[in-house]
Amino acid sequence: MSPASLDKPLTLALSKGRIFEETLPLLAAAGVHVTENPESSRKLILPTSDPGLQLIIVRASDVPTYVQYGAADFGIAGKDVLFEHAAQNAGGLYQPIDLNIAKCRLCVAVREGFDYEAAVSQGSRLRIATKYVQAAREHFARKGVYVDLIKLYGSMELAPLVGLADAIVDLVSTGNTLKANHLVAVEDIVQISSRLIVNQASLKTRAKALQPLIDAFAQASAA
Ligand code: ATP
Ligand code: PRP
Ligand code: MG
C-alpha cells in the first residue's frame, strides 16, 4: 500500500436530513464533531474535527452503492434501503450493528373506507404503489395476494387519492402523513431502523482506524 493511501482519511457515507442529524450524537460519542451543515453547504465532502475521517453526503438509496464499491469505507442506511439494494446487488457489505436511529415501520396503507381485508379475501388483484418494490413483492407473495406493483420515487400517499393505486407500501413513523391524506395503515410489514454498513475490504485493510469508530457507535447506539 502506498503512503498516500495510508494517509487517506476514512470516508463515511451519509444522507442529509434525519440520518445525518441522528448520526451526529454517535459521532460525538466517538469524539468527532462536524462543523458544516449539509443543509446549507453545497459541499458534498465534509471534513470533521478528526483529520482521519471525512463525510460524503449522498442520496439515502445511494449509500450502499458507495460503500459496496469502496468509494466510502462505511456508511449508514435504513433497513428499507438495504433490503432493496440487496435484491439487485450481491454481497460486499458487512453490517456489524443496528444503530437504532431513524426508526419507523414499513406498512401497507389504503384510503379511509377502502375495505382491504375484503379485497384480499375476495382474491381481487390489487394495485400497489411503492418505492419499496422488492419488500412489497415479497410481502404479498408471502400472503398469496396477487398484486400489480407500480414503482414511485416519493409522495406515495398521493397514489390512492388520485386513483393510481388501491394501496401503498410506505414508511410510517408518527402516522401524521397518512392522517393528513385520509389514509390508514392496514398491515405492518417490518420495523425499520438504520444500520452501519462497512466495505469488506476496508474492514480488513483499515481495521485499525475503523474498529474504534465501530465500537464507539455500537456503545452509543445501545445506550
Ligand atoms: P431520497 O431523498 O433519496 O428520496 P429518503 O426520503 O429515503 O431519500 P430520508 O427521508 O432522509 O431519505 O430517509 C432516510 C431513511 O430514514 C429511510 O431509508 C428510512 O430508513 C428512514 N426514515 C424515512 N422516513 C422516516 C420517518 N418518517 N421517521 C423515521 N425514519 C424514517
Ligand atoms: C417519510 C415517509 C412518509 C413519512 C412518514 O417522508 O416517506 O411520507 O416520512 O412519517 P410520519 O408517519 O411521521 O408522517 P419524509 O419525511 O422522509 O419526506 P420525503 O417525502 O421527502 O421522503
Ligand atoms: Mg424520506
Side-chain angles (χ1 to χ4, degrees):
M1 203 183 282
S2 71
S5 67
L6 282 174
D7 287 336
K8 205 175 84 165
L10 279 178
T11 299
L12 174 65
L14 295 176
S15 51
K16 60 183 176 186
R18 53 175 61 88
I19 296 216
F20 177 81
E21 298 298 331
E22 295 189 42
T23 299
L24 289 180
L26 301 178
L27 286 168
V32 177
H33 300 278
V34 185
T35 45
E36 285 191 63
N37 177 358
E39 298 297 340
S40 51
S41 168
R42 299 294 299 164
K43 278 193 203 168
L44 298 174
I45 302 180
L46 302 182
T48 72
S49 58
D50 178 351
L53 177 68
Q54 66 181 10
L55 309 182
I56 59 171
I57 304 298
V58 303
R59 288 290 290 264
S61 46
D62 290 336
V63 168
T65 306
Y66 279 85
V67 177
Q68 182 174 10
Y69 285 94
D73 299 288
F74 58 154
I76 296 179
K79 286 180 191 168
D80 49 330
V81 164
L82 291 171
F83 189 78
E84 298 301 311
H85 179 83
Q88 283 145 11
N89 305 268
L93 292 175
Y94 171 63
Q95 299 188 23
I97 34 176
D98 187 338
L99 297 168
N100 284 313
I101 61 169
K103 286 179 157 184
C104 52
R105 57 194 210 279
L106 190 66
C107 293
V108 181
V110 299
R111 253 189 12 244
E112 283 168 11
F114 179 84
D115 195 341
Y116 175 72
E117 290 306 330
V120 166
S121 61
Q122 285 159 16
S124 313
R125 200 173 178 101
L126 292 175
R127 287 224 298 196
I128 310 290
T130 188
K131 182 169 159 185
Y132 307 100
V133 170
Q134 301 297 342
R137 181 175 292 125
E138 199 168 284
H139 173 71
F140 290 107
R142 217 182 301 124
K143 277 176 69 79
V145 174
Y146 290 106
V147 292
D148 291 319
L149 295 170
I150 300 175
K151 167 85 185 185
L152 291 178
Y153 293 87
S155 303
M156 267 81 81
E157 291 87 355
L158 183 62
L161 306 181
V162 295
L164 180 63
D166 302 305
I168 59 170
V169 167
D170 196 8
L171 300 172
V172 179
S173 172
T174 60
N176 289 342
T177 310
L178 290 184
K179 211 165 168 188
N181 292 292
H182 306 287
L183 301 178
V184 284
V186 286
E187 230 160 37
D188 283 355
I189 300 178
V190 66
Q191 297 294 321
I192 302 287
S193 54
S194 286
R195 298 195 74 100
L196 187 67
I197 53 174
V198 184
N199 175 272
Q200 284 184 342
S202 298
L203 190 68
K204 292 196 191 106
T205 59
R206 312 203 66 188
K208 219 170 149 188
L210 265 173
Q211 200 59 50
L213 285 164
I214 297 174
D215 293 346
F217 284 5
Q219 207 177 350
S221 59

PDB file of all heavy atoms in Angstrom, residues 182-200:
ATOM      1  N   HIS A 182     -55.881  11.249   4.691  1.00  0.00           N
ATOM      2  CA  HIS A 182     -57.046  10.362   4.861  1.00  0.00           C
ATOM      3  C   HIS A 182     -56.736   8.926   4.463  1.00  0.00           C
ATOM      4  O   HIS A 182     -57.518   8.263   3.784  1.00  0.00           O
ATOM      5  CB  HIS A 182     -58.254  10.910   4.090  1.00  0.00           C
ATOM      6  CG  HIS A 182     -58.561  12.328   4.468  1.00  0.00           C
ATOM      7  ND1 HIS A 182     -59.123  12.657   5.683  1.00  0.00           N
ATOM      8  CD2 HIS A 182     -58.330  13.495   3.820  1.00  0.00           C
ATOM      9  CE1 HIS A 182     -59.237  13.970   5.756  1.00  0.00           C
ATOM     10  NE2 HIS A 182     -58.745  14.503   4.648  1.00  0.00           N
ATOM     11  N   LEU A 183     -55.564   8.477   4.890  1.00  0.00           N
ATOM     12  CA  LEU A 183     -55.181   7.079   4.655  1.00  0.00           C
ATOM     13  C   LEU A 183     -55.049   6.386   6.007  1.00  0.00           C
ATOM     14  O   LEU A 183     -54.849   7.045   7.036  1.00  0.00           O
ATOM     15  CB  LEU A 183     -53.827   7.000   3.927  1.00  0.00           C
ATOM     16  CG  LEU A 183     -53.706   7.691   2.562  1.00  0.00           C
ATOM     17  CD1 LEU A 183     -52.287   7.552   2.036  1.00  0.00           C
ATOM     18  CD2 LEU A 183     -54.686   7.123   1.551  1.00  0.00           C
ATOM     19  N   VAL A 184     -55.164   5.060   5.994  1.00  0.00           N
ATOM     20  CA  VAL A 184     -54.951   4.291   7.229  1.00  0.00           C
ATOM     21  C   VAL A 184     -54.016   3.116   6.952  1.00  0.00           C
ATOM     22  O   VAL A 184     -54.071   2.509   5.872  1.00  0.00           O
ATOM     23  CB  VAL A 184     -56.285   3.739   7.826  1.00  0.00           C
ATOM     24  CG1 VAL A 184     -57.061   4.827   8.518  1.00  0.00           C
ATOM     25  CG2 VAL A 184     -57.125   3.036   6.776  1.00  0.00           C
ATOM     26  N   ALA A 185     -53.179   2.801   7.963  1.00  0.00           N
ATOM     27  CA  ALA A 185     -52.287   1.642   7.846  1.00  0.00           C
ATOM     28  C   ALA A 185     -53.110   0.399   8.141  1.00  0.00           C
ATOM     29  O   ALA A 185     -53.832   0.355   9.141  1.00  0.00           O
ATOM     30  CB  ALA A 185     -51.136   1.765   8.823  1.00  0.00           C
ATOM     31  N   VAL A 186     -53.022  -0.599   7.278  1.00  0.00           N
ATOM     32  CA  VAL A 186     -53.807  -1.820   7.481  1.00  0.00           C
ATOM     33  C   VAL A 186     -52.924  -3.029   7.784  1.00  0.00           C
ATOM     34  O   VAL A 186     -53.420  -4.073   8.187  1.00  0.00           O
ATOM     35  CB  VAL A 186     -54.725  -2.116   6.271  1.00  0.00           C
ATOM     36  CG1 VAL A 186     -55.905  -1.164   6.253  1.00  0.00           C
ATOM     37  CG2 VAL A 186     -53.961  -2.055   4.950  1.00  0.00           C
ATOM     38  N   GLU A 187     -51.628  -2.903   7.572  1.00  0.00           N
ATOM     39  CA  GLU A 187     -50.713  -4.015   7.827  1.00  0.00           C
ATOM     40  C   GLU A 187     -49.315  -3.484   8.072  1.00  0.00           C
ATOM     41  O   GLU A 187     -48.864  -2.605   7.339  1.00  0.00           O
ATOM     42  CB  GLU A 187     -50.666  -4.893   6.567  1.00  0.00           C
ATOM     43  CG  GLU A 187     -50.875  -6.354   6.790  1.00  0.00           C
ATOM     44  CD  GLU A 187     -51.296  -7.032   5.479  1.00  0.00           C
ATOM     45  OE1 GLU A 187     -50.804  -6.648   4.409  1.00  0.00           O
ATOM     46  OE2 GLU A 187     -52.143  -7.919   5.548  1.00  0.00           O
ATOM     47  N   ASP A 188     -48.644  -4.016   9.096  1.00  0.00           N
ATOM     48  CA  ASP A 188     -47.234  -3.698   9.303  1.00  0.00           C
ATOM     49  C   ASP A 188     -46.410  -4.780   8.620  1.00  0.00           C
ATOM     50  O   ASP A 188     -46.667  -5.972   8.838  1.00  0.00           O
ATOM     51  CB  ASP A 188     -46.895  -3.703  10.797  1.00  0.00           C
ATOM     52  CG  ASP A 188     -47.396  -2.433  11.483  1.00  0.00           C
ATOM     53  OD1 ASP A 188     -47.912  -1.545  10.792  1.00  0.00           O
ATOM     54  OD2 ASP A 188     -47.266  -2.351  12.719  1.00  0.00           O
ATOM     55  N   ILE A 189     -45.453  -4.380   7.827  1.00  0.00           N
ATOM     56  CA  ILE A 189     -44.603  -5.374   7.149  1.00  0.00           C
ATOM     57  C   ILE A 189     -43.347  -5.650   7.971  1.00  0.00           C
ATOM     58  O   ILE A 189     -43.021  -6.790   8.259  1.00  0.00           O
ATOM     59  CB  ILE A 189     -44.243  -4.917   5.711  1.00  0.00           C
ATOM     60  CG1 ILE A 189     -45.530  -4.739   4.890  1.00  0.00           C
ATOM     61  CG2 ILE A 189     -43.288  -5.895   5.046  1.00  0.00           C
ATOM     62  CD1 ILE A 189     -45.315  -4.244   3.481  1.00  0.00           C
ATOM     63  N   VAL A 190     -42.640  -4.583   8.359  1.00  0.00           N
ATOM     64  CA  VAL A 190     -41.392  -4.783   9.117  1.00  0.00           C
ATOM     65  C   VAL A 190     -41.002  -3.484   9.836  1.00  0.00           C
ATOM     66  O   VAL A 190     -41.293  -2.390   9.350  1.00  0.00           O
ATOM     67  CB  VAL A 190     -40.263  -5.293   8.161  1.00  0.00           C
ATOM     68  CG1 VAL A 190     -39.863  -4.256   7.130  1.00  0.00           C
ATOM     69  CG2 VAL A 190     -39.031  -5.747   8.924  1.00  0.00           C
ATOM     70  N   GLN A 191     -40.386  -3.628  10.990  1.00  0.00           N
ATOM     71  CA  GLN A 191     -39.837  -2.482  11.721  1.00  0.00           C
ATOM     72  C   GLN A 191     -38.529  -2.072  11.040  1.00  0.00           C
ATOM     73  O   GLN A 191     -37.745  -2.935  10.633  1.00  0.00           O
ATOM     74  CB  GLN A 191     -39.535  -2.853  13.181  1.00  0.00           C
ATOM     75  CG  GLN A 191     -40.761  -3.244  13.993  1.00  0.00           C
ATOM     76  CD  GLN A 191     -41.722  -2.079  14.194  1.00  0.00           C
ATOM     77  OE1 GLN A 191     -41.296  -0.941  14.414  1.00  0.00           O
ATOM     78  NE2 GLN A 191     -43.023  -2.353  14.103  1.00  0.00           N
ATOM     79  N   ILE A 192     -38.318  -0.760  10.941  1.00  0.00           N
ATOM     80  CA  ILE A 192     -37.134  -0.241  10.243  1.00  0.00           C
ATOM     81  C   ILE A 192     -36.286   0.612  11.194  1.00  0.00           C
ATOM     82  O   ILE A 192     -36.828   1.393  11.972  1.00  0.00           O
ATOM     83  CB  ILE A 192     -37.563   0.658   9.050  1.00  0.00           C
ATOM     84  CG1 ILE A 192     -38.455  -0.098   8.050  1.00  0.00           C
ATOM     85  CG2 ILE A 192     -36.357   1.307   8.377  1.00  0.00           C
ATOM     86  CD1 ILE A 192     -37.770  -1.109   7.186  1.00  0.00           C
ATOM     87  N   SER A 193     -34.979   0.441  11.080  1.00  0.00           N
ATOM     88  CA  SER A 193     -34.033   1.373  11.717  1.00  0.00           C
ATOM     89  C   SER A 193     -32.813   1.378  10.799  1.00  0.00           C
ATOM     90  O   SER A 193     -32.796   0.651   9.805  1.00  0.00           O
ATOM     91  CB  SER A 193     -33.680   0.912  13.128  1.00  0.00           C
ATOM     92  OG  SER A 193     -33.220  -0.417  13.073  1.00  0.00           O
ATOM     93  N   SER A 194     -31.818   2.180  11.143  1.00  0.00           N
ATOM     94  CA  SER A 194     -30.650   2.248  10.257  1.00  0.00           C
ATOM     95  C   SER A 194     -29.493   1.419  10.784  1.00  0.00           C
ATOM     96  O   SER A 194     -29.297   1.308  11.997  1.00  0.00           O
ATOM     97  CB  SER A 194     -30.202   3.705  10.069  1.00  0.00           C
ATOM     98  OG  SER A 194     -31.098   4.368   9.215  1.00  0.00           O
ATOM     99  N   ARG A 195     -28.737   0.880   9.862  1.00  0.00           N
ATOM    100  CA  ARG A 195     -27.578   0.057  10.211  1.00  0.00           C
ATOM    101  C   ARG A 195     -26.296   0.709   9.734  1.00  0.00           C
ATOM    102  O   ARG A 195     -26.286   1.431   8.732  1.00  0.00           O
ATOM    103  CB  ARG A 195     -27.661  -1.313   9.522  1.00  0.00           C
ATOM    104  CG  ARG A 195     -28.841  -2.144   9.923  1.00  0.00           C
ATOM    105  CD  ARG A 195     -28.629  -3.575   9.471  1.00  0.00           C
ATOM    106  NE  ARG A 195     -27.644  -4.226  10.305  1.00  0.00           N
ATOM    107  CZ  ARG A 195     -27.953  -5.055  11.295  1.00  0.00           C
ATOM    108  NH1 ARG A 195     -29.206  -5.353  11.554  1.00  0.00           N
ATOM    109  NH2 ARG A 195     -27.003  -5.601  12.025  1.00  0.00           N
ATOM    110  N   LEU A 196     -25.216   0.392  10.442  1.00  0.00           N
ATOM    111  CA  LEU A 196     -23.887   0.738   9.948  1.00  0.00           C
ATOM    112  C   LEU A 196     -23.522  -0.313   8.910  1.00  0.00           C
ATOM    113  O   LEU A 196     -23.734  -1.503   9.150  1.00  0.00           O
ATOM    114  CB  LEU A 196     -22.894   0.706  11.118  1.00  0.00           C
ATOM    115  CG  LEU A 196     -21.496   1.207  10.815  1.00  0.00           C
ATOM    116  CD1 LEU A 196     -21.530   2.705  10.515  1.00  0.00           C
ATOM    117  CD2 LEU A 196     -20.570   0.951  12.005  1.00  0.00           C
ATOM    118  N   ILE A 197     -23.021   0.118   7.761  1.00  0.00           N
ATOM    119  CA  ILE A 197     -22.541  -0.840   6.765  1.00  0.00           C
ATOM    120  C   ILE A 197     -21.079  -0.529   6.472  1.00  0.00           C
ATOM    121  O   ILE A 197     -20.681   0.640   6.448  1.00  0.00           O
ATOM    122  CB  ILE A 197     -23.389  -0.817   5.468  1.00  0.00           C
ATOM    123  CG1 ILE A 197     -23.515   0.596   4.884  1.00  0.00           C
ATOM    124  CG2 ILE A 197     -24.770  -1.402   5.715  1.00  0.00           C
ATOM    125  CD1 ILE A 197     -24.216   0.635   3.531  1.00  0.00           C
ATOM    126  N   VAL A 198     -20.294  -1.581   6.287  1.00  0.00           N
ATOM    127  CA  VAL A 198     -18.848  -1.405   6.123  1.00  0.00           C
ATOM    128  C   VAL A 198     -18.382  -2.161   4.882  1.00  0.00           C
ATOM    129  O   VAL A 198     -18.809  -3.304   4.661  1.00  0.00           O
ATOM    130  CB  VAL A 198     -18.090  -1.932   7.376  1.00  0.00           C
ATOM    131  CG1 VAL A 198     -16.594  -1.654   7.264  1.00  0.00           C
ATOM    132  CG2 VAL A 198     -18.643  -1.308   8.656  1.00  0.00           C
ATOM    133  N   ASN A 199     -17.536  -1.529   4.096  1.00  0.00           N
ATOM    134  CA  ASN A 199     -16.941  -2.191   2.937  1.00  0.00           C
ATOM    135  C   ASN A 199     -16.032  -3.319   3.447  1.00  0.00           C
ATOM    136  O   ASN A 199     -15.213  -3.107   4.347  1.00  0.00           O
ATOM    137  CB  ASN A 199     -16.143  -1.165   2.125  1.00  0.00           C
ATOM    138  CG  ASN A 199     -15.396  -1.815   0.985  1.00  0.00           C
ATOM    139  OD1 ASN A 199     -14.262  -2.265   1.162  1.00  0.00           O
ATOM    140  ND2 ASN A 199     -16.028  -1.873  -0.169  1.00  0.00           N
ATOM    141  N   GLN A 200     -16.195  -4.509   2.860  1.00  0.00           N
ATOM    142  CA  GLN A 200     -15.469  -5.664   3.405  1.00  0.00           C
ATOM    143  C   GLN A 200     -13.961  -5.539   3.263  1.00  0.00           C
ATOM    144  O   GLN A 200     -13.226  -5.956   4.155  1.00  0.00           O
ATOM    145  CB  GLN A 200     -15.995  -6.948   2.761  1.00  0.00           C
ATOM    146  CG  GLN A 200     -17.346  -7.303   3.378  1.00  0.00           C
ATOM    147  CD  GLN A 200     -17.920  -8.610   2.871  1.00  0.00           C
ATOM    148  OE1 GLN A 200     -17.507  -9.120   1.841  1.00  0.00           O
ATOM    149  NE2 GLN A 200     -18.890  -9.129   3.586  1.00  0.00           N
TER     150      GLN A 200
END
